[in-house]
Amino acid sequence: MSRLLHYILLFPVLLPQLCSCSGEAEPPVRSAYYWSTTFSLDSMQREWLHREQVKRIYIRFFDVVEDISGAVMPNASISWADSVPHGIEVVPTVFVTNEAMAHAPADLDSLIYLRVMQMCETHDIHDVKMLQVDCDWSQRTRTAYFDMLSGIGKRAHADGRQLSVTIRLHQLSQGAPPADHGVLMVYNTGDVRNMERDPILSAEDVRPYLRHLSGYDLPLSAAYPAFAWDIQYRRGRYIEIRHIDDEMRLQPGDTLIHREPSVETVLKVKNMVGNERNDVHKEIILFDISKKNIQRITQHHYEKVFTD
C-alpha cells in the first residue's frame, strides 16, 4: 500500500478525534451561593436551580467571630429545614472575620475543619469534595490566616478534599493564599459612603484591579452579584444597609437609596474579567439565591450571566 493511500484510509478514523479536540470549550459550571442562617428552598428556588442546571451550591455553614470577651468562636450556624436537591454538589463555606483572625487560637484550623465535617455528617451531606473559607484578611492578619489555611488544607487533602478561598479584588495585588482554588468576588466593589456610585458593582471600580488578574497564581472562578441594597444616609453621611424595613426609622434629612446593578452592568464587568483571564469563567457563580433574590434573578434574567 502506498503511503498516500494509507493516509487516505486513515483520515476518516482521525477526523472525529480532530474535531473533538478542536471543538468549542466546555460550558461553564453553573453555581450559586446560599448565604442565610436557615437552609430552606421554596418551589421557585428549586425550579430555578433545575431549569438553570446549577451543579454546585456554596452554603455558608457558620461564621467565626470574636465575642465581647475576646474569645474566637463560631456564630450564626446554619439550621437545616430542607434538603439539597439531588445532583447538586455542596461546598461548605465558613466566613471568618478579620478581627477573629487577629486573635485566632493556634488550633483554629482543626476546629473549623472538624466542625464543618461534623455538620455534614449530622445533616447527611455526603461526597463533600471541597470546602471554602471566606475572609477579608489584611496585612496584619495575613500570616495567621495563611497558616490557618495551610492547616485546613492538609486535613482536607488527607481526606481527599480540596480547599477553596474567596479572593476580593483588592487582594489580587497580594500573594495568593495557600489553597487549591479561589473564587474572585466581583461585587461589593465600591464604598457605601459614596452616594454617587453603586457600591455593589461598578465597572469603573473594578477596572484598576484587573491588571493583577492575569498573573494571579491561583486557579480562579468568578462570582457576580444578584442582590440589591437599600442604603440609608443622614445629611449625606452613611448610616447603614437596611435589610429589614423597620430596622431603623427614617428621620428628617435621611435619604434611602436603592442600589441594584443591572444585568447589563454585570455582563459588562464579566466581559472585562474574561478579557483579562478567560479561564476564570470555567465556573460562574451567582451571589446569592435567597428567596428575595431569586425573584429578582428571574424578573431581570440574571441567568444571562451564565451564558452571555
Side-chain angles (χ1 to χ4, degrees):
M1 180 185 300
S2 70
R3 182 173 297 180
L4 178 59
L5 181 59
H6 173 77
Y7 285 140
I8 290 172
L9 293 174
L10 186 62
F11 184 73
V13 178
L14 292 176
L15 183 60
Q17 299 178 33
L18 292 171
C19 291
S20 64
C21 293
S22 60
E24 293 183 1
E26 288 291 320
V29 175
R30 301 182 180 194
S31 304
Y33 274 98
Y34 189 96
W35 210 263
S36 300
T37 54
T38 301
F39 188 82
S40 175
L41 301 175
D42 63 15
S43 59
M44 181 179 290
Q45 288 167 301
R46 287 183 174 272
E47 195 278 330
W48 183 85
L49 289 168
H50 176 74
R51 184 179 71 247
E52 297 305 322
Q53 301 178 13
V54 171
K55 299 300 183 185
R56 184 177 294 147
I57 301 180
Y58 294 76
I59 300 178
R60 188 204 65 85
F61 270 37
F62 57 90
D63 301 338
V64 177
V65 304
E66 185 181 31
D67 69 9
I68 56 174
S69 70
V72 173
M73 59 186 299
N75 183 56
S77 296
I78 194 169
S79 60
W80 295 84
D82 210 341
S83 60
V84 178
H86 179 72
I88 294 181
E89 176 189 353
V90 171
V91 179
T93 301
V94 178
F95 173 67
V96 183
T97 67
N98 198 41
E99 292 76 15
M101 282 311 315
H103 302 96
D107 61 346
L108 184 58
D109 54 346
S110 62
L111 294 174
I112 288 176
Y113 186 77
L114 291 175
R115 181 178 175 83
V116 167
M117 292 302 109
Q118 287 170 356
M119 290 176 69
C120 289
E121 182 177 355
T122 299
H123 300 289
D124 296 323
I125 300 170
H126 306 293
D127 301 323
V128 173
K129 301 178 179 67
M130 179 169 62
L131 65 153
Q132 183 176 91
V133 177
D134 174 23
C135 180
D136 190 6
W137 54 272
S138 63
Q139 285 301 316
R140 180 171 66 111
T141 58
R142 180 183 186 276
T143 298
Y145 180 56
F146 282 26
D147 287 348
M148 183 191 74
L149 291 178
S150 294
I152 294 175
K154 288 178 182 178
R155 287 171 172 79
H157 295 160
D159 292 339
R161 300 186 176 99
Q162 291 191 321
L163 174 63
S164 172
V165 293
T166 57
I167 304 295
R168 287 158 176 80
L169 286 168
H170 70 85
Q171 293 170 343
L172 287 174
S173 61
Q174 310 296 321
D180 302 297
H181 177 265
V183 171
L184 184 64
M185 300 167 64
V186 195
Y187 52 88
N188 296 2
T189 60
D191 188 343
V192 292
R193 296 170 297 182
N194 185 345
M195 295 179 64
E196 305 302 321
R197 184 176 291 178
D198 188 341
I200 297 176
L201 187 66
S202 164
E204 290 75 14
D205 289 331
V206 171
R207 186 173 286 108
Y209 296 104
L210 296 185
R211 67 181 184 272
H212 303 291
L213 180 56
S214 62
Y216 195 71
D217 190 22
L218 192 67
L220 292 173
S221 302
Y224 296 97
F227 60 91
W229 283 341
D230 289 317
I231 308 175
Q232 182 179 355
Y233 299 90
R234 181 164 300 150
R235 291 181 289 277
R237 183 173 63 86
Y238 167 73
I239 299 297
E240 68 172 355
I241 298 169
R242 293 170 60 99
H243 299 289
I244 303 174
D245 290 341
D246 61 354
E247 199 169 90
M248 181 179 291
R249 292 183 179 276
L250 294 179
Q251 299 182 9
D254 284 4
T255 303
L256 197 63
I257 299 180
H258 182 76
R259 294 298 190 187
E260 179 178 355
S262 67
V263 175
E264 291 73 22
T265 296
V266 177
L267 292 175
K268 178 180 179 180
V269 172
K270 179 192 170 189
N271 186 57
M272 291 165 52
V273 170
N275 285 340
E276 293 294 328
R277 184 168 164 175
N278 190 54
D279 66 313
V280 169
H281 291 143
K282 289 182 178 179
E283 179 189 21
I284 298 173
I285 313 169
L286 286 182
F287 187 98
D288 74 320
I289 53 166
S290 68
K291 291 178 173 64
K292 186 175 182 179
N293 287 338
I294 280 291
Q295 295 176 354
R296 178 180 298 106
I297 290 168
T298 302
Q299 180 180 355
H300 298 294
H301 305 291
Y302 276 84
E303 58 269 10
K304 289 181 180 179
V305 179
F306 288 140
T307 57
D308 288 7

